[in-house]
């Protein structure tokens, strides 16, 4: 079946569910470390508390990709059942995570949340390749990135906005402030509604030959298909994997460590250790409240600054959307310089100036906009369309493995080599992102580069 070119609003509708997915990721990335610290975690313990998230992705995404490749329902299609299942579970986890009373409960909700987001997210990547002809894929992934940028910016600023509506930053020791809980509740609602919109507004192409599809489905086995896909992984995919490794190591470092690093190094307001205060002494209790309020205010500032990378990625994606709708793009060149720009943004944080954080996150947003579009556009031009879901799921290995390494000591070990300062993880992220940019020189397939 020859795929027709789709108009702007058709591509917008099929990608709109990513708004909710990014609400989930932005709230998770911007505020989970804050929740962990509120519940008593030390900064050095935070990467390990995040390890459930990438481990979940490593397991879930290839399975979901395989299942969606081998699913067809006359009414609900191939990918849409997984969008909806993930949205329901993600909304549940988003709503309840800020109500966690102890660290292990919060870590458990992070595991549920990330697994659920992965169930929704992986089929969205495959849907672009399913629905769009080759010449529109860069456009499709860039437009998807535009929606992601909108979601990142709004969600990152939600706690700040709710706080400005009159909800207090003050909270008892070990309790997440009320306005953060309300922000997560709003995020849960947006996640579900945006996915439902895509499910209702998008129709999927049926298999070319439904009888052949059914027969192939009976013969398919996950382990067999997984082994075949790993063995026959295209060379371009492996090269992209190296770029993804350094890219996602950098962003995982940011998500897990930006709040403790920047509240301490830039705002001079680290999270107070409640074990260091005697709450039976009024002066000690007051000192904790003052320090905690300063930390919560600084964390709000960090969250808002991080929201700028969503706004920046949105602007970058908007420019690329206009360009890609009319012309071909050099995916390799765009990706190389975007990643290097983001790396420079992280290194700029080392100056310790709060006003410069906006510049840093603008540059990081350019990287983020490219990471969410260019690698997937390049990948979709190098793999078998029948295995698109499985290959997109396997491509996720190059996203989650660096995060697992980072969580299990990579961040702490390498940061110690760079500096003893609390800003060292952000400098590490900058170096990693620059290396990712330079690795683009290994991409040499013209069909993959030009799209």
């Amino acid at each position: 079946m020859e795929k027709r070119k789709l108009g702007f609003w058709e591509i917008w509708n099929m990608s709109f569910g990513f708004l909710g997915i990014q609400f989930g990721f932005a709230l998770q990335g911007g505020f989970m470390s804050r929740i962990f610290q509120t519940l008593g975690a030390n900064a050095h313990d935070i990467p390990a508390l995040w390890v459930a998230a990438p481990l979940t992705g490593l397991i879930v995404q290839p399975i979901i990709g395989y299942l969606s490749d081998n699913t067809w329902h006359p009414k609900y299609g191939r990918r849409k059942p997984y969008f909806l299942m993930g949205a329901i579970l993600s909304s549940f986890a988003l709503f309840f995570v800020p109500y966690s009373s102890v660290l292990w409960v919060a870590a458990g909700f992070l595991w549920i949340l990330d697994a659920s987001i992965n169930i929704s997210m992986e089929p969205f990547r495959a849907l672009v390749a399913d629905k769009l002809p080759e010449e529109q894929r860069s456009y499709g992934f860039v437009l998807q990135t535009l929606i992601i940028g909108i979601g990142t910016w709004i969600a990152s600023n939600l706690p700040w906005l709710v706080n400005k509506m009159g909800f207090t930053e003050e909270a008892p020791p070990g309790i997440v402030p009320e306005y953060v809980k309300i922000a997560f509740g709003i995020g849960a609602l947006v996640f579900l509604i945006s996915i439902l919109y895509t499910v209702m507004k998008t129709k999927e192409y049926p298999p070319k030959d439904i009888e052949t599809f059914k027969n192939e489905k009976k013969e398919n086995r996950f382990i067999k298909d997984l082994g075949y896909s790993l063995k026959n992984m295209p060379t371009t995919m492996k090269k992209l994997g190296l770029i993804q490794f350094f890219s996602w190591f950098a962003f995982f470092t940011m998500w897990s460590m930006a709040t403790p690093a920047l509240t301490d190094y830039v705002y001079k307001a680290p999270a107070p250790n409640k074990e260091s205060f005697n709450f039976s002494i009024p002066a000690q209790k007051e000192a904790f409240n003052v320090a905690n309020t300063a930390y919560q205010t600084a964390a709000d500032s960090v969250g808002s600054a991080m929201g700028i990378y969503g706004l920046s990625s949105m602007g970058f994606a908007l420019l690329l959307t206009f360009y890609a709708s009319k012309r071909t793009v050099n995916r390799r060149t765009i990706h190389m310089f975007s990643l290097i720009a983001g790396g420079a943004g992280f290194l700029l944080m080392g100056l310790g100036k709060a006003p410069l954080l906006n510049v840093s996150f603008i540059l990081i947003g350019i990287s983020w906009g490219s990471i969410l579009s260019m690698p997937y556009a390049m990948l979709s031009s190098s793999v078998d369309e029948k295995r698109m879901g499985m290959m997109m799921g396997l491509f996720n290995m190059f996203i989650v493995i660096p995060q697992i390494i980072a969580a299990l000591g990579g961040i702490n070990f390498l940061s110690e080599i760079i500096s003893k300062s609390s800003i060292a993880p952000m400098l590490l992220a900058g170096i990693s992102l620059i290396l990712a940019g330079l690795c683009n020189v290994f991409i040499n397939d013209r069909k993959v580069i030009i799209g």
Side-chain angles (χ1 to χ4, degrees), residues 47 245-258 261 339 342-350 364 402-403 405-436:
F245 182 93
F246 288 114
S247 301
W248 286 88
F249 188 99
F251 272 87
F252 182 85
T253 301
M254 181 189 77
W255 293 326
S256 60
M257 296 302 293
L339 295 178
F346 278 116
L347 296 180
L348 193 61
M349 293 177 182
I364 291 166
Q403 295 182 60
I405 292 171
L408 293 179
I411 292 174
N412 290 338
F413 175 74
L414 294 174
S415 295
E416 288 285 332
I417 293 174
I418 293 171
S419 170
K420 300 295 183 183
S421 170
S422 57
I423 200 63
M426 298 301 96
L427 304 181
L428 172 63
I431 294 168
S432 184
L433 209 49
I434 289 170
L435 288 173

Side-chain angles (χ1 to χ4, degrees), residues 21 29 77 95-96 107 199 204 207 220 254 275 304 318 320 324 350 379 393:
I21 290 173
F95 182 84
F96 284 106
V199 168
E204 298 187 69
N220 287 342
M254 181 189 77
E275 302 299 327
S304 293
L318 187 60
L320 280 181
L379 177 68

Side-chain angles (χ1 to χ4, degrees), residues 299-322:
D300 282 346
S301 298
V302 172
S304 293
M306 287 181 72
I308 290 173
Y309 91 84
L311 188 63
S312 171
S313 69
M314 180 175 67
F316 180 68
L318 187 60
L319 290 175
L320 280 181
T321 299
F322 287 133

Side-chain angles (χ1 to χ4, degrees), residues 367-385:
S367 288
W368 186 236
S370 188
I371 285 170
L372 295 175
S373 54
M374 293 300 109
Y376 297 99
M378 288 190 273
L379 177 68
S380 69
S381 297
S382 64
V383 300
D384 182 357
E385 288 196 14

